[in-house]
Each structure stands twice: as C-alpha cells, then as structure tokens.
Amino acid sequence: MLATTDDELDRRRAAVAKRLHAAVDPPLLQECARWTQRATRLYAQVLQTRPAQAVSASVVGHRQCFVQGRRFVEYELVIETDWRGAQRAWHRYSTFRSLAASLHAPLPKLPATHLFGAHSDRTIETRKERLNAFLAALLRDTTLQWCLRMADGNRVGRRKTKQVLPLDALRALHVEASRGGEAARLAAVDAACAAGSAPAFVAAEIGRLQQRVELLTSVLGLHGGVTLATARIVDARWIPHSRLTQYRIQIETPERGALSAWFRHETFLQLAASLSAKYGPGIPTLEAEKHLPRCLDRRMARLNAFLAAILELSAVEWAIRIDEATCVVKPANPSQRPSSASTVSDDDDGWP
C-alpha cells in the first residue's frame, strides 16, 4: 500500500532506511546517497533556472482570509505547464493587477480595488471572470514574458528561450519527485528487501541517478562551460516600475573574451548563500539591499569587493549563467576545465 500523507511517507522512509542498512553494505549506501544529493541539487537548479512554461491558466476558486484583524480575498490560480503538470497558488487580486501594470501591454483591464463591497459575492465573481479573461489574453500573446510564484515557491510563466528542453524526460523526473513517485520507489525498495535483492536494487538505483545527473547537467548547460578569469560590476540601473536595481557584470574569459549580462542583486545574494552553504564561513557575506535608487556607486563597490574576494579563494568553484547557452565557471583549480559540480546562480534576465 502506497503512503498518501507526509506523516505516512516519513514513517515509510524510516522503515525502509532501517531495512536497507541491515541488508546493504554502508559504502554502497553512501555512494547512492552522494548521487541522490547531487541529483536533488541539480533538479532544484533546473526548477529555478529552467522554470516550466505556462500552457493554460485559470482562476478556479476563492477564499476569505483574516490576518491580524484584516479581511481580504485570495483567488486560487491553476496553471497547466509543459512539464510540471498543474501548479496551484493562492494570490490576492492586487497581485494580478501588479502583473498587468508591469507588462505595459493591451490586455483586458483589471479595475482598481473597491474600498467597500470588495468581499461581496457579486464582486468576487465579477473579478474571477475578469481575471480569467486577463489570463486568457495573457497566454494568447506569445511575445510577453511574465511569471508568478506558485505554492511550492517556484516560478511559472512565459519566457523567451532558444533552448529545446527534453520535456518527456523532465516530466518523468517530475513524477518521480512527486509524493506518489517517492511512495512508489519506497514500495519497490521494500519489495527488493523482502526478495533479498536489496544490494542489486541499490546498485541499479545508482545507475539511474547517474543518468539523471547527466540529463540535468545537460539541461543546465554545464557541459563545456567557459572559464572565468575576472569579473566586475561595471554599471547599474534602477527600474522604477519594478522597484529594483540591476547590475551589469563584465566577465573576461580565455575562450570568448569579454562577456556581460544584467542581474538583480538577488542573484548575487543567492550565489553568496549557496557558496556559504557549500564551503562554510570563509565566504564573504552580502547584505540585502533596500529597493531605493540611491547610492548605486556604493552598492557596486560592495559587489565588486565580494566578487574579488571569491575570485581569490582558489579552492572555491562557482558559476554564473550569461545566457541560455553560456555558463561561465570559475573552477576550483584554474588549470582545470569547468565541471558539472559548479554552483550555478539563478539567471533572472528576461523575467519581470
């Protein structure tokens, strides 16, 4: 019987782990754990840097919310995607209005919120109709780029890309990563332990994980990366409608000369956090910036100090994506070519 709740899954994981430790040699289990961790990390990077594309979207429900004495309505959004199935999220009406305002496109208008009557059944149903008309027009316009956060924290929307993703393989990975997929795998492990073939099952699982890592590495474009020699921030710009700052990084490479791209400050924060998690307290820290168009020179100086510091750390490997086809890597050993074990920062170009 497959586990159907988180508590049941936790109990099954513990029981299966106990049986595996009794039936399989520790080195084989450790090897499997290493490949599992690597595949999990790469899959998380795919979710961030290669988000699923929206195929259809609709508002299917609503709920009344009360937080700290305030009452508001949230609308249930369902987006069908190209490889992650149906993704759901609850958003307030103002979220959709902000999205519409950021696109500057001739889409169906979403009227302003009402001071009174915003929670009436009539107003809610009218808004749902207008939201669905807005979403339908949004998806018909293939020139627009946009995204919305879903319940799992990942983004879904539309993004221009020249990369052709292996959608069938990614759909299979999504199913395996789901609760049902994990429950099925635990049942298979249980059956292998009962049949006395647990070591063979774990060895086969390592092979499957290696294939998964190869696939995800290919999707992320980590093969044949470009070596980073120097990196510095050379420009900054304030984007009023999004209330954020972007910074242009210029990178010198032996293979392709100078490359540059615009990134949000959040990208560098994520890079610092991932390096700290991987290498420990020796990584310099970055502070979150306030979304104000002041002191850009000072912020650029701080980012350049951060980049200079992590470039000086010879044992640290990291990478940053310039475009869909180019991942620039600072290898741990400058004499080595980039490897697929690099930490890839989230490329936020092209997203609102």
Side-chain angles (χ1 to χ4, degrees):
M1 181 178 178
L2 297 182
T4 56
T5 67
D6 290 338
D7 289 341
E8 290 174 352
L9 270 179
D10 288 340
R11 288 193 292 269
R12 288 295 302 278
R13 289 190 195 105
V16 167
K18 186 175 181 180
R19 297 191 69 178
L20 279 176
H21 279 87
V24 182
D25 290 337
L28 191 60
L29 288 177
Q30 291 168 4
E31 180 73 4
C32 187
R34 281 194 294 270
W35 282 103
T36 299
Q37 184 180 25
R38 189 173 178 186
T40 301
R41 184 178 68 249
L42 290 173
Y43 184 67
Q45 291 178 0
V46 167
L47 291 179
Q48 290 293 320
T49 63
R50 299 294 183 274
Q53 301 289 302
V55 176
S56 66
S58 60
V59 171
V60 299
H62 70 276
R63 65 185 180 187
Q64 301 275 357
C65 300
F66 296 87
V67 177
Q68 296 181 346
R70 295 183 58 195
R71 181 184 179 189
F72 56 90
V73 180
E74 288 187 332
Y75 296 87
E76 185 180 14
L77 173 68
V78 178
I79 299 182
E80 290 288 342
T81 68
D82 55 354
W83 64 271
R84 293 191 63 215
Q87 297 294 307
R88 296 175 177 268
W90 291 92
H91 287 295
R92 297 180 65 172
Y93 182 70
S94 58
T95 300
F96 298 99
R97 280 181 47 82
S98 297
L99 174 61
S102 70
L103 294 173
H104 305 289
L107 297 169
K109 291 185 177 180
L110 297 176
T113 56
H114 301 293
L115 185 60
F116 301 103
H119 308 112
S120 68
D121 292 341
R122 180 178 178 181
T123 298
I124 291 171
E125 292 304 318
T126 299
R127 285 183 175 178
K128 286 164 69 174
E129 292 176 3
R130 289 175 173 171
L131 286 172
N132 280 322
F134 167 76
L135 292 169
L138 182 63
L139 285 165
R140 283 196 299 269
D141 192 335
T142 58
T143 65
L144 296 177
Q145 297 187 93
W146 56 274
C147 68
L148 286 168
R149 292 277 179 186
M150 306 311 290
D152 62 359
N154 292 302
R155 299 173 296 183
V156 170
R158 284 281 179 84
R159 183 185 190 185
K160 295 178 183 178
T161 177
K162 296 180 181 179
Q163 184 181 19
V164 179
L165 297 178
L167 295 180
D168 289 340
L170 288 174
R171 290 188 193 106
L173 286 184
H174 172 66
V175 172
E176 291 180 16
S178 67
R179 178 188 294 169
E182 184 178 4
R185 189 186 68 83
L186 291 174
V189 175
D190 233 356
C193 290
S197 58
F201 181 91
V202 173
E205 181 70 9
I206 291 173
R208 287 191 291 270
L209 288 168
Q210 290 172 338
Q211 293 176 354
R212 186 180 304 176
V213 166
E214 182 70 19
L215 168 67
L216 294 171
T217 299
S218 175
V219 169
L220 288 168
L222 295 178
H223 288 310
V226 180
T227 309
L228 184 150
T230 64
R232 63 190 182 95
I233 304 298
V234 296
D235 198 4
R237 64 187 180 190
W238 168 253
I239 303 177
H241 73 270
S242 299
R243 294 189 59 78
L244 59 86
T245 310
Q246 288 185 330
Y247 300 88
R248 185 160 71 93
I249 186 171
Q250 182 169 302
I251 295 172
E252 293 291 337
T253 71
E255 298 89 352
R256 294 178 54 185
L259 302 172
S260 67
W262 289 92
F263 291 102
R264 301 175 188 176
H265 192 266
E266 180 185 0
T267 299
F268 300 100
L269 288 176
Q270 291 173 350
L271 176 60
S274 64
L275 291 178
S276 295
K278 185 175 181 179
Y279 294 103
I283 302 298
T285 59
L286 278 177
E287 295 182 358
E289 67 171 10
K290 296 180 180 179
H291 297 310
L292 295 173
R294 299 197 299 264
C295 307
L296 292 184
D297 290 340
R298 187 186 307 169
R299 294 176 188 170
M300 289 172 59
R302 289 174 180 171
L303 286 174
N304 277 323
F306 167 74
L307 291 172
I310 60 176
L311 280 169
E312 287 295 322
L313 298 172
S314 59
V316 172
E317 181 181 64
W318 55 276
I320 195 163
R321 183 167 298 284
I322 297 299
D323 54 36
E324 292 290 342
T326 308
C327 179
V328 182
V329 184
K330 185 268 180 186
N333 185 337
S335 65
Q336 295 177 350
R337 294 291 300 167
S339 73
S340 60
S342 303
T343 301
V344 181
S345 68
D346 182 8
D347 176 7
D348 53 18
D349 284 359
W351 287 87

